[in-house]
Amino acid sequence: MAEESGRGDHAFPQAQREGLYRAIHERRDVRAQFLPDPIPPEVLARLLEAAHHAPSVGFMQPWDFLVIDSLAVRERVHGIFQRENAKAAEHYSGDRGETYRRLKLEGILESPINLCITCDRARGGEHVLGRNSIVETDLFSTCLAVQNLWLAARAEGIGVGWVSILDQDELAEVLGLPEQVYPLAYLCLGYVSEFLEQPELARSGWRQRLPLAELVHGSGWGEPLADEALHEALAEVARS
């Protein structure tokens, strides 16, 4: 007799579910813990394959991947970071400024591999299914590729750091990108000495994680949840 269909038919086994949630909760933006050990080609290939399997609106797959092992290129990118970081530091003064200047915000030269994930804004042609109303969906789709790679990297024991303090026009020039290709994410990848228990910015006191229960609304902004059981479940998750 065929088994009856049920809501759990397509769920992963418990150990696999726990592994997925562990990767999500233990993922970190790594800056200072990189080891010099190279990433084996087969492992890097798995990470890129995971990124390539991200969802994309209209199945446009707007991403490309630049695997940057050239020290000369990385030094040029590091120079861009240093200039932009100095500009960013001007926004903070006093204790906040001192804290900012102590933060390690990149691992461009320390990590064995830099990876730039780009977004080809012309991929798929002039009319992409599902993109007519929200043209930025190509950028959103590429962000999903970044997240896929990040979670797969955590499962492989590899740290990832996103360097966002860069002038994107200068970066595009350094990497020789075509005009329609946007350098969405510049990432540092490598094995690490440790994964921090807390995100670096939380540990340093810069900013803490917001309570999830305060961010979940009902059918309209600011409306309470109609489902009391969900409200209780959110409170339980916060306590765990």
Side-chain angles (χ1 to χ4, degrees), residues 2-3 10 15 127 132 151 154 184 222:
E3 294 185 4
H10 304 294
H127 301 288
N132 185 68
L151 294 177
R154 179 62 191 90
L184 184 134

Side-chain angles (χ1 to χ4, degrees), residues 34-80:
F34 286 111
L35 299 174
D37 310 63
I39 300 175
E42 62 273 16
V43 177
L44 183 56
R46 287 199 295 269
L47 301 186
L48 294 172
E49 178 74 356
H52 186 48
H53 275 72
S56 62
V57 171
F59 204 38
M60 71 178 92
Q61 304 162 74
W63 44 72
D64 284 87
F65 308 96
L66 283 74
V67 181
I68 304 164
D69 53 11
S70 166
L71 180 58
V73 171
R74 291 161 63 180
E75 286 177 339
R76 291 181 67 187
V77 175
H78 188 253
I80 298 172

Side-chain angles (χ1 to χ4, degrees), residues 97-118:
E98 292 180 10
T99 300
Y100 183 89
R101 289 168 176 81
R102 287 197 301 267
L103 292 172
K104 171 72 169 168
L105 298 176
E106 52 77 35
I108 296 170
L109 301 179
E110 296 89 343
S111 58
I113 286 289
N114 290 185
L115 177 72
C116 186
I117 301 183
T118 63

Side-chain angles (χ1 to χ4, degrees), residues 9 11 23 27 51 63 66 70 72 84 87 103 112 155 192 224 229 236 239:
D9 284 357
R27 180 211 58 79
W63 44 72
L66 283 74
S70 166
E84 293 301 310
K87 293 178 187 177
L103 292 172
V192 298
E236 181 61 31
R239 290 191 291 268

